[in-house]
Amino acid sequence: MTHRIGYLIGSLAQDSINRILAKALVGLAPPSLELVEIPIRDLPLYNRDDELDPVAAVTEFKRAIESSEGLLLVSPEYNRSIPGALKNAIDWGSRPWGHNSFARKPTGIIGASTGAIGTAVMQSSMRSVLSFLNAPQLNAPEAYITFDPEAFGPDGEVKDAGTREFLQHYMNEYAAFVERVLSLTAPGHVGDQG
């Protein structure tokens, strides 16, 4: 069985190292996962006044999250935290109250940075947000990638054997986590719509 996994890239830059990392993860995903990007670029700034009559970009974003069986967040760290565009997307996806599109979606967090701590602080902040959103998280292995341009081709080819092995292991662990979470998920939870 193939599971549709939506992935969000926390950087809006077209040449982002996290976009390159995402391409690498798509290429290394096991056959049980179909990875599909969920774009966040066109989302307006979150405004509670617009919750009940959102623009098409918001409706499409929430629909894409809801049609995914799991989510992979591939993101840089901005000022020791979650990039604003990604946090904005999460805010839209979790609202209005009672319509949290992230609930019970098995999530993985990974990110690349040119610095030595490789997005560790962003990931810590993201774990707090995802916990509040009732989104189960792959806790191990943790994946803080110090980006080496010699290790990656622009289309996500992973040239360094050690990096490729680690990322392959991460994707295999995420696939196993998705299977575990989805096998426990059943309709009828308190707050489910319909």
Side-chain angles (χ1 to χ4, degrees), residues 64-188:
I65 295 290
E66 291 162 8
S67 68
S68 298
E69 295 175 87
L71 298 167
L72 196 57
L73 306 174
V74 185
S75 180
E77 177 177 298
Y78 289 175
N79 299 318
R80 296 289 188 262
S81 192
I82 301 166
L86 181 55
K87 181 60 169 65
N88 183 62
I90 290 169
D91 291 344
W92 272 120
S94 66
R95 302 295 296 176
W97 184 256
H99 298 273
N100 172 15
S101 301
F102 293 96
R104 293 180 300 283
K105 302 285 184 185
T107 58
I109 311 168
I110 187 170
S113 168
T114 56
I117 63 170
T119 74
V121 181
M122 177 281 295
Q123 291 191 39
S124 177
S125 297
M126 184 66 76
R127 290 189 186 286
S128 177
V129 171
L130 292 174
S131 293
F132 179 76
L133 297 179
N134 193 23
Q137 303 158 51
L138 173 66
N139 292 314
E142 295 177 313
Y144 313 119
I145 309 301
T146 301
F147 189 82
D148 176 1
E150 300 297 317
F152 291 88
D155 292 327
E157 174 194 4
V158 186
K159 300 175 183 178
D160 177 75
T163 302
R164 183 173 47 256
E165 182 180 343
F166 176 78
L167 294 176
Q168 183 82 67
H169 174 68
Y170 180 84
M171 291 307 293
N172 288 339
E173 288 291 335
Y174 177 68
F177 175 69
V178 167
E179 292 290 343
R180 286 193 305 274
V181 171
L182 294 180
S183 70
L184 299 174
T185 302

Side-chain angles (χ1 to χ4, degrees), residues 50-59 62 92:
D50 300 327
E51 278 184 1
L52 299 180
D53 188 24
V55 298
V58 170
T59 304
K62 286 183 67 72
W92 272 120

